[in-house]
Amino acid sequence: MPKVKFALTKMLCLEETNEPSSSEEPYVLVFASQLKKVAGLVTIPAASTTMYGPWENVDKGDLVSTSVHISGPLGTFLNHPSKNFWGLDGKPHELNSPDEAIFIVALMENDDAQAGGIRAGLHAQLFAAITSYANA
């Protein structure tokens, strides 16, 4: 089976919530876990939660990119591609069957929260829940 990688590369805002205070500040969290069977039990040897964004001042019709653009010498721009949410180490990884992975995606709105803290808490809870559920 060939090695693959998955990443969110772009996102289009189709609708706004019309909050009176500001434009949207969306971000996306993707929990990805690898599943393996060992001695009849399902184990989760690897999992990660990747965060894309948050983006500021997003309005209806805006297309945002998850790549990173950095100013370089003479005004050029360096483009760093999006982080992969599969392979879990950022490199292409085999996915022999859809039954070997779980992907959970959440579109979030950043309203005065610490997105990094939300990502860490979500990862801990999902990893524990899926590990417990897999062997129930």
Side-chain angles (χ1 to χ4, degrees):
M1 178 67 77
K3 293 184 178 186
V4 296
K5 57 184 175 180
F6 300 124
L8 176 69
T9 58
K10 295 177 186 166
M11 186 174 68
L12 176 64
C13 179
L14 299 176
E15 188 174 327
E16 290 183 66
T17 59
N18 295 321
E19 294 177 357
S21 60
S22 66
S23 294
E24 306 299 332
E25 294 180 345
Y27 63 101
V28 176
L29 297 172
V30 182
F31 176 83
S33 63
Q34 179 182 12
L35 305 174
K36 295 217 179 225
K37 271 198 167 184
V38 178
L41 294 175
V42 175
T43 64
I44 301 177
S48 69
T49 300
T50 304
M51 181 170 66
Y52 299 98
W55 298 276
E56 295 180 4
N57 300 319
V58 176
D59 296 310
K60 183 177 181 177
D62 287 350
L63 179 67
V64 294
S65 171
T66 60
S67 345
V68 177
H69 302 279
I70 301 173
S71 297
L74 306 174
T76 59
F77 289 91
L78 302 173
N79 184 16
H80 295 271
S82 303
K83 296 178 271 185
N84 298 324
F85 64 84
W86 180 274
L88 300 175
D89 59 0
K91 298 174 185 161
H93 187 75
E94 288 185 12
L95 181 57
N96 297 318
S97 164
D99 295 336
E100 293 179 359
I102 294 176
F103 303 127
I104 301 173
V105 181
L107 175 61
M108 308 290 287
E109 167 66 22
N110 190 33
D111 287 328
D112 301 322
Q114 297 294 324
I118 302 286
R119 186 207 65 78
L122 177 82
H123 178 78
Q125 288 183 352
L126 285 176
F127 188 80
I130 287 175
T131 301
S132 175
Y133 177 76
N135 292 302

